[in-house]
Amino acid sequence: MNNGLDYLTSVSNSSKGLIIESQEDVSGNEQPYHQVITTVTGPIASEEIGFCHSHEHLFLKKGPSAEIDSSLQIDDFDKTTQELNLFKAVGGTTVVDAQPIGSGRHSQWLMAASQQTGIQVVASTGFHKLMFYSENHWIRTANVDTLTELFIDELENGMYADGEDAWPVEKIVARAGIIKTAADFEGVGGQYYRLFKAASQAAIATGTPIMSHTELGYGALDQIKLFTDLGVAPSQLIMCHLDRKMDNVDYMLHVASTGVYLELDTIGRFKYHSDDEEVELIIKLIEAGYENQILLGLDSTRKRLRSYGGELGLDYLVKSFLPKLEDSGVSRALIRRFMHENPAKAFSKRILTT
């Protein structure tokens, strides 16, 4: 049986090619940094991240998201822990949960599920697309400084367990480890500008990475321009979903040239394209020299979690997709990079050493 640990402990000596020499760290920054990853059960050294899924949704409370799409309700603790145990059984170590405060994140359950299963969970503060909030939600009116303080508070002191119906007040000890941001086809203007500015200020103040949702892969360059104009380093940015559409390949390569990380998760999403086509996208990135910037996940919903009766399960990458990637000529050394070494860098806080 395929096991995620195989990709951490074994290096293929395949002669199929595609093994590309390592490039320099995408940051291009030689300042000395101490790197640490914040999980819901405490900080870990970056190398302890192990085999990592870089973008999932483990829980989603019933709310506006589920009213839009019923698969965006993931609210059974036992089923999610079953799913995490599937992941653990194939060598999984860490899951990055991409649901931010006030939009259905279940921070208490994230901590409890991590404690029960032993899977490390990196949780998110920040914001999602505005369609996932009620019309009178505080995210629509809070000013930049107030939001910045909230995000920093969740990163440094502990997350809140509430915030869907009113300003959050119920504090827990588990801390967020990344800042989630998102925009729809409106882009970074309008109400979103205030939100992106607050996220940027929190990222700069804490050295925390930002994971940003793009709508079908569009608008990434506009987001990157705003983030970097506001002072966020490209190496601190993780851009999501640029692999949604096959006709977006040239744009995706342009985005990669900025030095950001690319989180790819259109895997087993056959309404967009096949896994064979996803492999083609990844090989194009490798051939262009961007292998140090690739992260992989499944962007799970209720429909995609087997313990909820879904189609795939959190063992799908290990059991199906990564073997397909290897059979296509991608070495185990590179797969290890996508699943361990790149996440270890991408999800680390950059804390300057003195």
Side-chain angles (χ1 to χ4, degrees):
M1 182 181 72
N2 293 311
N3 191 293
L5 295 177
D6 294 341
Y7 297 108
L8 301 189
T9 58
S10 300
V11 177
S12 173
N13 59 4
S14 167
S15 61
K16 294 179 183 178
L18 293 181
I19 299 178
I20 298 175
E21 294 297 322
S22 297
Q23 59 187 31
E24 292 184 1
D25 188 353
V26 295
S27 69
N29 194 332
E30 296 181 358
Q31 288 182 287
Y33 284 97
H34 170 64
Q35 294 192 327
V36 64
I37 295 171
T38 301
T39 76
V40 295
T41 52
I44 60 172
S46 59
E47 61 269 18
E48 294 179 275
I49 197 169
F51 185 92
C52 177
H53 275 208
S54 291
H55 188 121
E56 305 298 345
H57 298 274
L58 297 176
F59 295 106
L60 261 171
K61 299 176 186 176
K62 184 178 181 180
S65 299
E67 293 171 5
I68 296 167
D69 182 346
S70 61
S71 71
L72 300 180
Q73 183 176 338
I74 309 170
D75 58 352
D76 187 308
F77 181 82
D78 290 338
K79 289 179 179 177
T80 292
T81 55
Q82 289 173 26
E83 197 71 38
L84 286 171
N85 282 323
L86 286 177
F87 181 61
K88 186 176 183 178
V90 295
T93 310
T94 302
V95 172
V96 178
D97 185 88
Q99 200 65 28
I101 182 173
S103 63
R105 183 190 68 191
H106 213 314
S107 55
Q108 287 178 310
W109 281 7
L110 288 174
M111 179 173 64
S114 178
Q115 291 169 335
Q116 182 167 316
T117 64
I119 294 297
Q120 300 172 150
V121 175
V122 178
S124 302
T125 190
F127 64 91
H128 213 315
K129 294 190 295 183
L130 290 173
M131 66 187 293
F132 294 140
Y133 301 92
S134 63
E135 288 300 320
N136 61 351
H137 197 282
W138 51 264
I139 200 77
R140 298 178 182 274
T141 56
N143 65 41
V144 170
D145 289 342
T146 299
L147 289 170
T148 301
E149 291 171 5
L150 174 64
F151 300 158
I152 292 174
D153 187 23
E154 287 217 306
L155 293 164
E156 295 189 340
N157 303 314
M159 293 182 286
Y160 291 89
D162 54 350
E164 282 72 32
D165 301 317
W167 186 260
V169 295
E170 187 181 346
K171 193 82 159 175
I172 67 170
V173 296
R175 292 184 292 155
I178 61 170
I179 302 168
K180 170 71 176 286
T181 63
D184 51 30
F185 285 121
E186 294 178 32
V188 296
Q191 290 193 69
Y192 282 106
Y193 179 80
R194 167 180 52 90
L195 301 172
F196 275 90
K197 186 173 182 180
S200 298
Q201 291 181 170
I204 293 166
T206 62
T208 301
I210 292 174
M211 173 182 279
S212 200
H213 169 99
T214 65
E215 199 72 356
L216 297 178
Y218 297 121
L221 290 174
D222 288 340
Q223 289 190 27
I224 294 165
K225 177 67 163 58
L226 178 58
F227 280 130
T228 55
D229 283 354
L230 292 170
V232 182
S235 61
Q236 209 170 340
L237 298 174
I238 302 159
M239 308 306 295
C240 301
H241 318 317
L242 273 92
D243 56 335
R244 281 291 189 265
K245 295 169 69 73
M246 287 295 294
D247 62 6
N248 211 30
V249 177
D250 290 338
Y251 182 76
M252 179 181 68
L253 291 171
H254 191 164
V255 171
S257 74
T258 68
V260 301
Y261 288 95
L262 304 182
E263 188 279 318
L264 310 178
D265 52 36
T266 312
I267 298 166
R269 286 181 174 269
F270 304 119
K271 70 177 183 179
Y272 293 111
H273 55 245
S274 70
D275 280 354
D276 288 333
E277 289 172 304
E278 183 75 11
V279 169
E280 290 177 23
L281 292 176
I282 292 172
I283 288 175
K284 287 181 184 295
L285 284 168
I286 294 170
E287 291 175 336
Y290 299 123
E291 70 278 5
N292 288 353
Q293 295 161 242
I294 297 172
L295 308 170
L296 301 180
L298 290 173
D299 193 13
S300 45
T301 66
R302 192 183 191 98
K303 289 180 181 177
R304 291 164 64 75
L305 294 171
R306 195 156 74 248
S307 298
Y308 283 83
E311 302 160 350
L312 300 182
L314 290 181
D315 55 359
Y316 183 80
L317 276 179
V318 170
K319 286 187 171 182
S320 181
F321 185 74
L322 296 182
K324 182 182 289 289
L325 200 57
E326 189 175 2
D327 288 344
S328 299
V330 178
S331 71
R332 285 196 173 188
L334 283 180
I335 292 173
R336 171 190 167 90
R337 199 172 300 183
F338 307 156
M339 305 308 302
H340 172 66
E341 295 168 8
N342 292 349
K345 294 177 183 178
F347 296 111
S348 289
K349 287 186 177 181
R350 279 71 166 176
I351 302 170
L352 277 172
T353 57
T354 56

